Amino acid sequence: MAAVGSGSSTAAAGPGVVSAGALEPGTMSAAHRRLKYISLAVLVVQNASLILSIRYTRTLPGDRFFATTAVVMAEVLKGLTCLLLLFAQKRGNVKHLALFLHEAVLVQYVDTFKLAVPSLIYTLQNNLQYVAISNLPAATFQVTYQLKILTTALFSVLMLNRSLSRLQWASLLLLFTGVAIVQAQQAGGGGPRPLDQNPGVGLTAVVASCLSSGFAGVYFEKILKGSSGSVWLRNLQLGLFGTVLGLVGLWWAEGAAVAHRGFFFGYTPAVWGVVLNQAFGGLLVAVVVKYADNILKGFATSLSIVLSTVASIRLFGFHVDPLFALGAGLVIGAVYLYSLPRSAAKAIAPTSTSASGPCTHQQPPGQPPPPQLSSHRGDLNTEPFLPKLLIKVKGS
């Protein structure tokens, strides 16, 4: 579930995914508008389908596959895919590819090892997501997992000295309230649940996953700010570390059981579908997300919550009561408000007024208007901050 590039973040691509750069405002053609809505569909489907498919495979009767092996396989497939894409970029020249990788990975080893920490956290996060989804209904997980917006925002303020608007702070409070209501509904019953599922363990895992997501995303942005590197190179580096660290986690958590039953024990076509979704879904989102602005990403997250809830009703007999509907509604509203650009947030926020009406700055006649807050997506000081599951790497 890890991938890399340059662009604004989104939750859709999965942990460790970094996207290609976003389009500049004012440059959107008819073709780009079509791609924008295609990207919306991709973001919604990938986000919801991954959670639903994991939940489905983890609740089927019979032999259950080892989640740690699925994490490792996703990293291996992602790394191999990025290697093939780099090979294609070098026009099939093995020597040029070898020289490029030697320079980028070994000679510039400091930049390579900078990725070890976020890769470790992303690997932990991927495993925690399996634990959480195995113990929580898909819809409940989808709503609760939006806490990553809160954790990412807090880490961005603490580590990057980034400022948030009053509307964004209010939306974070609304988000926390909505998640708390959903968890209260879950603790109060929320319908029948299998005996082998523990909501307390699931909640702990999803909170830990959100904390690791927020820290890793902001840390990744901080250490790679100003560095160069192609989308696929960064994803390959993350994949290399993710594979090694995933194997270490496999040995530590389930080594004896995997050795006894086999690496691919319990694998079915549905499990392979989850692995492929993790590996290629994140890479696909990394490509299309550059056509989606912040509002569209927030809208995609909201649609994913609705889609996961509807699918959970059909697939898993999930019961939606008024308390869950209220909490999910608050979270959807908070996600949308948080994703609004600062200009829109200021328009919504109340303005100070005087006897002559709203307080505005009058520009002297004949003078050019003052510079506006840049909407360029590379402006770290003015860009509304969204969770860095898709990390920006400047210069790529």
Side-chain angles (χ1 to χ4, degrees):
M1 284 166 92
V4 211
S6 63
S8 291
S9 63
T10 181
V17 177
V18 186
S19 72
L23 290 176
E24 295 298 328
T27 62
M28 186 173 292
S29 65
H32 287 154
R33 279 194 294 271
R34 287 193 296 271
L35 288 171
K36 178 179 178 179
Y37 292 106
I38 291 174
S39 71
L40 170 64
V42 172
L43 291 172
V44 172
V45 171
Q46 198 275 338
N47 197 355
S49 65
L50 180 59
I51 293 170
L52 291 169
S53 60
I54 292 177
R55 177 68 180 175
Y56 176 75
T57 56
R58 298 300 283 177
T59 55
L60 284 175
D63 296 329
R64 180 179 289 185
F65 69 99
F66 299 110
T68 50
T69 65
V71 172
V72 171
M73 282 306 303
E75 293 298 320
V76 169
L77 291 175
K78 186 204 69 178
L80 290 175
T81 302
C82 293
L83 185 62
L84 289 174
L85 290 170
L86 288 172
F87 182 65
Q89 286 183 349
K90 300 301 177 183
R91 302 182 183 277
N93 191 311
V94 177
K95 181 179 180 181
H96 288 176
L97 176 64
L99 291 174
F100 170 75
L101 292 178
H102 178 267
E103 172 69 23
V105 178
L106 298 179
V107 176
Q108 300 180 26
Y109 64 91
V110 175
D111 282 346
T112 299
F113 278 103
K114 284 181 180 179
L115 297 173
V117 173
S119 183
L120 171 63
I121 299 174
Y122 288 137
T123 303
L124 173 64
Q125 180 186 347
N126 291 340
N127 284 282
L128 286 171
Q129 285 186 348
Y130 274 100
V131 175
I133 298 174
S134 298
N135 289 279
L136 291 174
T140 302
F141 171 83
Q142 181 79 295
V143 172
T144 309
Y145 192 54
Q146 302 315 309
L147 280 176
K148 65 183 180 289
I149 299 176
L150 172 63
T151 60
T152 306
L154 294 177
F155 280 120
S156 71
V157 171
L158 295 174
M159 298 172 61
L160 300 177
N161 296 320
R162 184 160 294 160
S163 63
L164 301 177
S165 69
R166 283 179 292 181
L167 181 62
Q168 286 177 316
W169 282 115
S171 67
L172 292 177
L173 178 61
L174 194 66
L175 173 70
F176 182 82
T177 303
V179 170
I181 291 174
V182 168
Q183 286 303 317
Q185 178 265 354
Q186 181 71 21
R193 68 173 68 98
L195 295 176
D196 62 341
Q197 295 181 24
N198 188 329
V201 172
L203 176 60
T204 302
V206 75
V207 170
S209 181
C210 290
L211 286 170
S212 63
S213 171
F215 175 78
V218 175
Y219 174 83
F220 200 8
E221 180 185 2
K222 186 179 180 67
I223 64 173
L224 291 183
K225 192 180 295 182
S227 68
S228 62
S230 74
V231 173
W232 310 123
L233 172 64
R234 294 303 185 196
N235 283 304
L236 174 61
Q237 291 170 314
L238 274 181
L240 291 172
F241 281 115
T243 300
V244 173
L245 294 171
L247 287 171
V248 172
L250 184 155
W251 171 79
W252 181 77
E254 299 174 319
V258 172
H260 174 67
R261 295 188 170 184
F263 188 92
F264 296 107
F265 173 78
Y267 272 57
T268 63
V271 175
W272 279 111
V274 171
V275 172
L276 293 175
N277 196 340
Q278 285 182 319
F280 303 129
L283 292 174
L284 178 62
V285 169
V287 173
V288 304
V289 76
K290 66 178 179 178
Y291 300 104
D293 56 26
N294 286 336
I295 296 178
L296 194 69
K297 294 169 192 173
F299 189 49
T301 299
S302 301
L303 284 179
S304 297
I305 294 174
V306 174
L307 181 60
S308 296
T309 302
V310 173
S312 294
I313 295 172
R314 300 279 299 184
L315 295 175
F316 311 118
F318 182 70
H319 174 67
V320 177
D321 60 16
L323 203 59
F324 178 88
L326 173 61
L330 290 176
V331 170
I332 290 173
V335 170
Y336 173 76
L337 291 175
Y338 188 81
S339 66
L340 288 175
R342 286 187 184 271
S343 57
K346 288 183 178 180
I348 294 176
T351 57
S352 60
T353 60
S354 62
S356 60
C359 178
T360 58
H361 175 72
Q362 299 296 328
Q363 184 68 20
Q367 295 293 325
Q372 300 298 311
L373 287 178
S374 170
S375 59
H376 176 44
R377 306 191 81 84
D379 188 340
L380 295 176
N381 294 320
T382 62
E383 180 189 24
F385 189 76
L386 286 175
K388 292 298 178 186
L389 292 184
L390 292 176
I391 307 300
K392 176 182 298 179
V393 181
K394 301 186 84 175
S396 52

